[in-house]
């Protein structure tokens, strides 16, 4: 596999280039290399390379990752489940301008079926589920294929007829004036969406859209290490597009419930261990709860309130790399509020002995 060129080199700009400089360079190169304008061998590959470079460098998050890690830092953006972890971008309005002018690369007619909407939902999970990962069932309402017409938009048994607007070709010619000059453009017919046929008898249930709103139940995998506020993207699980259009995406916002005993600090877990004076003074061995079960902890004699012990690897897994955080155990000495007679007597004797000890110094 050929090694990718540096994106700044592709666009012919330096690493401190501003957004306007990137856009100017991109427009110039894209116009020069577009296959509908440049018929030389390699023009299409060059055009795609320019698009890819601009898509990364025009997006703040992607550019930052690229500057730090090179091409390896960008690979995760297309495969990640999270956009908080990373989610999104695209070419923006300038890329749409090129599609409007050229009707897609290499002479392909762009389909005009309306893309389905993205959907958003909130999923509430426990700290243990967030730290260890889990499978959760979610219910959403979304547009799915019409149960009557099976997505065709036509009444069952009816026939399609030739589109009168494009005379069955699915395309129309139009002249368009743009910042790049005057172009004779072949565009998708807006009446038949490029199919060359139109519905003669629409489906009454979906009104020819080919879809209807239904409740959908699905199981999702929550990766270990997610945090409160993270957003998970599942491609193609949003609303179905009209008449076969591309489906939107589903975005799941993670909400993590507060825990009774633990607090989370990044990948570390914080826990306060209550001890009485005798345990702290004499030393003791206690069981400490963790996300992975109880572990034994030896507390040396003379331990002071506020001392912190570190339990290696008992924290939250790193979301995008191997290894876990730690659990930090903070000692909290508890002063008894009530004493029985025997306890009070023992404390009085202890206090006198401390007074004698201090008097000798």
């Amino acid at each position: 596999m050929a090694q990718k060129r540096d994106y700044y080199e592709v666009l012919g700009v330096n690493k401190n280039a501003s957004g306007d400089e990137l856009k100017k360079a991109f427009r110039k190169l894209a116009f020069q290399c577009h296959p509908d304008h440049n018929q030389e061998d390699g023009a299409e590959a060059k055009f795609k390379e320019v698009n890819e470079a601009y898509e990364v460098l025009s997006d703040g998050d992607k550019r930052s990752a690229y500057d730090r890690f090179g091409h390896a830092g960008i690979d995760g953006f297309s495969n990640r489940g999270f956009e908080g972890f990373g989610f999104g971008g695209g070419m923006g309005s300038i890329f749409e301008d090129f599609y409007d002018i050229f009707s897609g690369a290499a002479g392909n007619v762009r389909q005009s079926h309306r893309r389905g909407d993205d959907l958003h939902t909130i999923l509430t999970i426990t700290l243990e589920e967030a730290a260890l990962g889990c499978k959760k069932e979610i219910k959403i309402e979304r547009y799915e294929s019409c149960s009557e017409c099976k997505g065709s938009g036509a009444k069952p048994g009816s026939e399609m007829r030739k589109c009168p607007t494009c005379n069955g070709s699915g395309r129309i010619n139009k002249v368009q004036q743009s910042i790049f000059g005057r172009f004779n453009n072949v565009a998708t017919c807006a009446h038949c969406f490029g199919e060359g046929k139109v519905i003669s008898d629409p489906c009454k249930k979906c009104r020819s859209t080919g879809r209807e709103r239904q409740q959908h139940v699905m199981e999702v995998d929550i990766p270990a290490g997610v945090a409160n506020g993270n957003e998970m993207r599942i491609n193609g699980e949003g609303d179905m597009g009209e008449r076969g259009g591309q489906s939107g995406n589903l975005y799941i916002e993670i909400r993590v419930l507060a825990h009774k005993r633990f607090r989370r600090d990044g990948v570390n877990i914080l826990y306060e261990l209550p001890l009485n004076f005798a345990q702290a003074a004499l030393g003791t061995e206690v069981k400490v709860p963790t996300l992975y079960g109880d572990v034994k902890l030896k507390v040396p004699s003379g331990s002071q309130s506020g001392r912190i012990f570190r339990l290696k690897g008992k924290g939250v897994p790193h979301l995008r790399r191997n290894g876990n955080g730690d659990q930090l155990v903070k000692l909290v000495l508890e002063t008894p509020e009530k004493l029985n007679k025997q306890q009070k007597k023992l404390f009085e004797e202890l206090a006198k002995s401390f007074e004698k000890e201090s008097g000798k110094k």
Side-chain angles (χ1 to χ4, degrees):
M1 182 180 293
Q3 185 175 3
K4 288 186 177 181
R5 287 203 297 156
D6 179 81
Y7 287 145
Y8 292 101
E9 178 185 339
V10 171
L11 295 181
V13 298
N14 60 50
K15 290 192 175 183
N16 297 322
S18 65
D20 289 338
E21 290 172 329
L22 289 171
K23 184 181 292 186
K24 183 178 180 180
F26 168 71
R27 283 180 170 176
K28 179 181 178 181
L29 291 170
F31 177 69
Q32 292 174 353
C33 303
H34 196 285
D36 284 356
H37 178 73
N38 187 340
Q39 302 300 320
E40 295 180 3
D41 291 341
E44 181 179 351
K46 176 66 175 177
F47 180 71
K48 291 180 179 179
E49 183 182 40
V50 169
N51 284 339
E52 180 181 327
Y54 182 72
E55 180 181 5
V56 171
L57 299 184
S58 62
D59 183 291
D61 291 338
K62 291 183 180 180
R63 183 175 181 177
S64 177
Y66 178 72
D67 287 343
R68 293 177 62 193
F69 306 110
H71 293 290
I74 302 304
D75 294 339
F77 274 87
S78 60
N79 298 322
R80 288 196 306 219
F82 292 82
E83 249 339 282
F85 308 8
F87 306 47
M91 295 303 293
S93 60
I94 187 170
F95 197 38
E96 290 297 323
D97 288 343
F98 278 98
Y99 265 119
D100 289 339
I101 292 169
F102 295 112
S103 296
N108 293 329
V109 175
R110 180 164 60 104
Q111 291 297 315
S112 300
H113 294 304
R114 181 175 177 271
R115 178 183 181 275
D117 291 334
D118 293 334
L119 299 180
H120 296 77
T121 188
I122 295 174
L123 178 63
T124 302
I125 58 178
T126 65
L127 177 61
E128 287 87 351
E129 290 173 330
L132 306 179
C134 62
K135 292 182 181 290
K136 301 293 285 188
E137 186 180 273
I138 62 172
K139 296 180 181 180
I140 57 173
E141 279 199 359
R142 69 179 187 183
Y143 280 110
E144 297 186 351
S145 180
C146 174
S147 58
E148 185 72 19
C149 67
K150 310 303 179 186
S152 69
K155 182 179 179 180
S158 64
E159 296 181 354
M160 306 284 282
R161 60 185 175 87
K162 184 169 67 174
C163 175
T165 302
C166 64
N167 199 31
S169 69
R171 308 180 181 189
I172 56 174
N173 293 322
K174 64 179 181 179
V175 177
Q176 184 173 355
Q177 186 70 32
S178 76
I179 60 175
F180 302 107
R182 187 180 179 88
F183 291 88
N184 185 19
N185 186 29
V186 178
T188 303
C189 176
H191 189 197
C192 67
F193 305 103
E195 293 181 358
K197 297 180 180 180
V198 293
I199 296 172
S200 58
D201 194 358
C203 172
K204 294 182 180 180
K205 187 168 188 178
C206 66
R207 298 180 181 179
S208 81
T209 63
R211 60 181 193 166
E212 63 177 331
R213 203 155 190 84
Q214 299 181 17
Q215 187 175 81
H216 178 71
V217 180
M218 62 185 297
E219 188 177 69
V220 295
D221 289 316
I222 307 301
V226 297
N228 188 60
N230 282 159
E231 192 173 65
M232 181 176 178
R233 183 184 68 196
I234 305 181
N235 294 329
E237 291 294 344
D239 279 339
M240 171 186 171
E242 292 187 7
R243 296 181 61 195
Q246 182 183 2
S247 295
N249 299 326
L250 173 63
Y251 291 86
I252 304 174
E253 181 183 345
I254 302 296
R255 298 275 180 87
V256 182
L257 296 171
H259 199 278
K260 293 181 179 180
R261 294 184 292 183
F262 301 131
R263 283 194 305 114
R264 180 173 175 175
D265 181 17
V267 293
N268 292 329
I269 293 294
L270 309 181
Y271 174 73
E272 292 187 346
L273 175 65
L275 289 180
N276 60 48
F277 288 111
Q279 289 174 308
L282 301 175
T284 186
E285 183 176 271
V286 294
K287 286 185 177 181
V288 175
T290 74
L291 295 172
Y292 309 92
D294 292 345
V295 298
K296 291 182 178 180
L297 174 66
K298 289 186 177 180
V299 180
S301 60
S303 294
Q304 301 297 307
S305 184
R307 180 173 178 177
I308 294 177
F309 296 87
R310 184 181 296 270
L311 302 179
K312 286 283 188 180
K314 296 301 182 181
V316 178
H318 293 278
L319 189 57
R320 298 188 185 93
R321 61 185 175 90
N322 294 330
N324 288 24
D326 303 324
Q327 179 164 316
L328 306 180
V329 181
K330 180 181 179 181
L331 298 188
V332 178
L333 297 189
E334 294 184 328
T335 303
E337 297 181 358
K338 293 182 179 180
L339 298 172
N340 57 37
K341 291 182 179 181
Q342 182 182 5
Q343 291 169 337
K344 187 175 181 179
K345 183 179 179 180
L346 291 172
F347 268 106
E348 289 173 346
E349 292 176 357
L350 184 61
K352 290 178 181 179
S353 68
F354 283 143
E355 289 175 2
K356 292 179 181 179
E357 289 288 331
S358 63
K360 292 178 181 179
K361 296 180 182 179

